[in-house]
Amino acid sequence: MPAMLTAWLPAQLRTPLAILLLAPLALLLSAAGLLSPPVANVLAYGAIYAILAISLNQLTGYGGQLSFGHAALLGVGGFVTGITVNRLALPPGTGLPAALLASMAVGGLVALLVGLPALRLRGVYLAIVTFAFADAFENYVFNIQELTGLGSGITVPRPFVGPVQLTASVGMLALILVFLALAWLVDARLLATRPGRALLAIRENESVAASFGVPVAAEKLRAFVLSGAIAGLAGCLFAYQVTVVTKSSFTVLASLSFLIIVVVGGLGARWGVVTAAVLFTALPQLLVGLAGWQTPVLSALLIVTLARYPGGLPEQVAHFRERRELRRRGLRPQAAGRAGAPEVDAVSGDLPEIGDPGPAASSVAVTASADHTVLHLPGAAAELRVEGVTVNFRGLRAVCGAALTVPAGAAVGLIGPNGAGKSTLFNVISGFQRPDTGTVHFDGHEITRLPAHRRARLGIGRTFQQVGLVQRATVLDNLLLAQQPALGYGYVWGLAASPRSRREEREARERALELLHEVGLSAY
């Protein structure tokens, strides 16, 4: 889009607006005879798969939850649309909104049920569960005659937009582009708000996410529901596009194809997975002259892509730009390792002086015996109190009757040899380890059974032996993530860009930038 047109637009709106403008452009090109119905059909399917890729990327690219079940979710949306259109006597103008809402609601509900095992499983075990879900729907649910029509499928007439039925291929393409723009916008809002940052932290390390105050279980389920709802939307549009919905389109193999699209597009890269979805839809049409060779050619392209550019399309584009820049500067592309890297200026600024810890921190009395250790500090009422904590690991006693009292304002160091139980006691205090006996009190309240993210929201922060940061997020995003407990807007209001969510995000960003300026990292 021209710079003058986009200068006043927020960055999140620029790409959705560009996609939205493609809808009337497609209509004009079709009217001028420059866009044929077969090409419009291919582009329409590519846009539908792009919406599905966005939903899968939210779950796998952002949240790290591997899913082989998105073809089944696409089928859920398609068959729910067929049932809604054929069995409810709805006026023509209301059929599309009703089908969209029903498909998204059922898609989100089914995804919620699939996501429940994610509370305890991850990695390959979660992938097996989603694979089993896809297989069960393909071979059992989609074989129920009353729901899916089996071999004959369900006929879905083209939708009405107002009084006009979109019988032409270009009309469906324009409608699908509108929803692609909306899906892009929702995805952009997700990453710009606390749920998106929470997903990135969960992908990195669930314990680190919990230490930032992220409710890991709740955020996982929300990710499944949102992903399932958008997949249901894609299924609804697919049903209207294909006009006859059959189970053959929603196989486990199709789920694998969608996962490949997201991997090739670049996990976590929105523009990459959208581009890959369109390309994977168009390439078989371009290779139609190679009858029987489409699959081997596409497989070879996939292998080459992943072998050389595991980061997907974004890595390929970055590599191309780097080589072009090196050639412009008269350097050989082989020197990309060091010569292409920008020089980093030294960070200037004085470190603040460390103040006197005061008598409370310097006069720590420690008593120890063979079975327990107690630390006593003089001062006011205890801010943190640990009493009689014992932790056993399969017969090994890691902590035995530990007690600790820390008044407000005190600084305490816990010293001991390797294996003494220091980290285990820290895990008990911060909520990552449940003690066999004993209690933890903070600010006058017992918190022994509170999960880690609830304790973080109370003000109990912790670091890890290996730095507990979201390494694939920016410095600024890590500081925004640290403010998760202070942000009070709701999940839906954040996606809808409510005034409160925008205000709180703006204030959090200002605080983060102030901190970066304080430590001399504003340039990074």
Side-chain angles (χ1 to χ4, degrees):
M1 297 176 67
M4 291 183 63
L5 182 62
T6 60
W8 56 274
L9 277 176
Q12 290 178 2
L13 295 179
R14 293 172 189 173
T15 301
L17 181 59
I19 296 173
L20 202 58
L21 291 177
L22 290 177
L25 178 62
L27 295 173
L28 290 174
L29 291 176
S30 176
L34 300 177
L35 180 62
S36 65
V39 174
N41 266 324
V42 171
L43 293 177
Y45 282 112
I48 291 171
Y49 294 146
I51 295 173
L52 187 69
I54 286 176
S55 76
L56 180 55
N57 187 52
Q58 289 172 352
L59 197 61
T60 302
Y62 301 159
Q65 310 299 306
L66 193 59
S67 171
F68 285 98
H70 266 61
L73 292 173
L74 184 74
V76 167
F79 285 119
V80 167
T81 297
I83 293 170
T84 303
V85 170
N86 287 285
R87 298 188 183 178
L88 298 180
L90 298 173
T94 60
L96 176 61
L100 287 169
L101 291 175
S103 299
M104 294 178 67
V106 177
L109 178 60
V110 172
L112 172 65
L113 298 177
V114 177
L116 289 175
L119 302 183
R120 292 186 174 273
L121 302 176
R122 65 194 68 171
V124 66
Y125 300 105
L126 179 60
I128 291 173
V129 169
T130 60
F131 181 90
F133 154 72
D135 183 69
F137 266 66
E138 177 186 351
N139 294 298
Y140 297 98
V141 177
F142 293 159
N143 281 336
I144 300 175
Q145 175 79 33
E146 294 77 9
L147 295 179
T148 65
L150 269 182
S152 59
I154 297 181
T155 300
V156 181
R158 287 288 171 85
F160 281 82
V161 176
V164 180
Q165 187 175 20
L166 302 180
T167 55
S169 300
V170 69
M172 278 302 302
L173 172 60
L175 176 68
I176 294 166
L177 286 173
V178 171
F179 284 102
L180 175 58
L182 290 174
W184 184 293
L185 182 59
V186 169
D187 192 70
R189 284 297 307 165
L190 176 69
L191 273 193
T193 55
R194 64 177 186 172
R197 292 192 293 269
L199 285 180
L200 296 178
I202 290 171
R203 178 189 67 183
E204 190 84 19
N205 188 301
E206 292 185 10
S207 296
V208 169
S211 73
F212 276 110
V214 173
V216 174
E219 292 297 346
K220 279 185 177 182
L221 290 181
R222 287 172 180 169
F224 270 93
V225 171
L226 180 61
S227 180
I230 295 178
L233 165 66
C236 176
L237 297 173
F238 180 84
Y240 279 119
Q241 171 66 19
V242 76
T243 66
V244 179
V245 187
T246 61
K247 56 168 284 186
S248 60
S249 301
F250 314 118
T251 63
V252 176
L253 185 60
S255 287
L256 179 60
S257 299
F258 297 136
L259 187 60
I260 289 173
I261 285 173
V262 173
V263 172
V264 171
L267 290 171
R270 187 185 310 111
W271 70 265
V273 300
V274 168
T275 303
V278 176
L279 289 178
F280 269 68
T281 307
L283 276 177
Q285 306 300 321
L286 298 176
L287 300 175
V288 69
L290 302 175
W293 288 90
Q294 293 99 325
T295 300
V297 170
L298 290 175
S299 300
L301 288 174
L302 171 64
I303 292 171
V304 171
T305 299
L306 295 183
R308 295 200 60 185
Y309 306 103
L313 285 177
E315 186 175 340
Q316 294 186 49
V317 172
H319 181 69
F320 172 77
R321 289 177 175 174
E322 184 180 26
R323 290 170 66 91
R324 185 179 62 182
E325 176 64 19
L326 288 171
R327 289 194 181 97
R328 188 186 67 80
R329 294 165 56 184
L331 301 174
R332 292 189 303 172
Q334 289 78 4
R338 292 176 179 266
E343 296 182 1
V344 179
D345 296 329
V347 179
S348 60
D350 298 327
L351 292 175
E353 295 183 0
I354 300 176
D356 183 3
S362 59
S363 55
V364 180
V366 181
T367 61
S369 66
D371 60 349
H372 71 278
T373 303
V374 183
L375 287 77
H376 305 281
L377 294 96
E383 184 77 16
L384 173 67
R385 189 171 76 255
V386 178
E387 296 177 344
V389 167
T390 300
V391 180
N392 298 304
F393 295 115
R394 295 183 180 179
L396 173 65
R397 179 155 292 184
V399 178
C400 180
L404 173 68
T405 303
V406 182
V412 176
L414 186 61
I415 302 173
N418 289 340
K422 303 182 299 297
S423 297
T424 303
L425 182 58
F426 282 133
N427 287 337
V428 169
I429 294 172
S430 54
F432 291 95
Q433 175 66 47
R434 183 71 61 84
D436 295 307
T437 63
T439 58
V440 180
H441 293 78
F442 182 70
D443 198 20
H445 302 282
E446 184 179 348
I447 61 171
T448 310
R449 296 189 174 275
L450 282 185
H453 73 272
R454 293 280 301 278
R455 302 190 195 196
R457 290 172 181 268
L458 292 176
I460 296 180
R462 69 156 294 170
T463 59
F464 295 85
Q465 187 170 351
Q466 295 181 350
V467 180
L469 296 175
V470 183
Q471 297 182 17
R472 284 181 283 184
T474 64
V475 175
L476 180 61
D477 281 338
N478 271 279
L479 289 177
L480 290 174
L481 184 64
Q483 300 180 68
Q484 292 279 105
L487 301 177
Y489 62 84
Y491 186 88
V492 175
W493 295 116
L495 295 182
S498 69
R500 177 182 175 181
S501 69
R502 295 201 307 271
R503 185 187 72 252
E504 291 190 4
E505 285 290 336
R506 183 175 63 253
E507 292 171 352
R509 183 172 294 269
E510 289 171 356
R511 284 193 295 269
L513 291 173
E514 287 175 6
L515 290 171
L516 287 175
H517 179 71
E518 253 184 67
V519 297
L521 291 176
S522 298
Y524 306 99

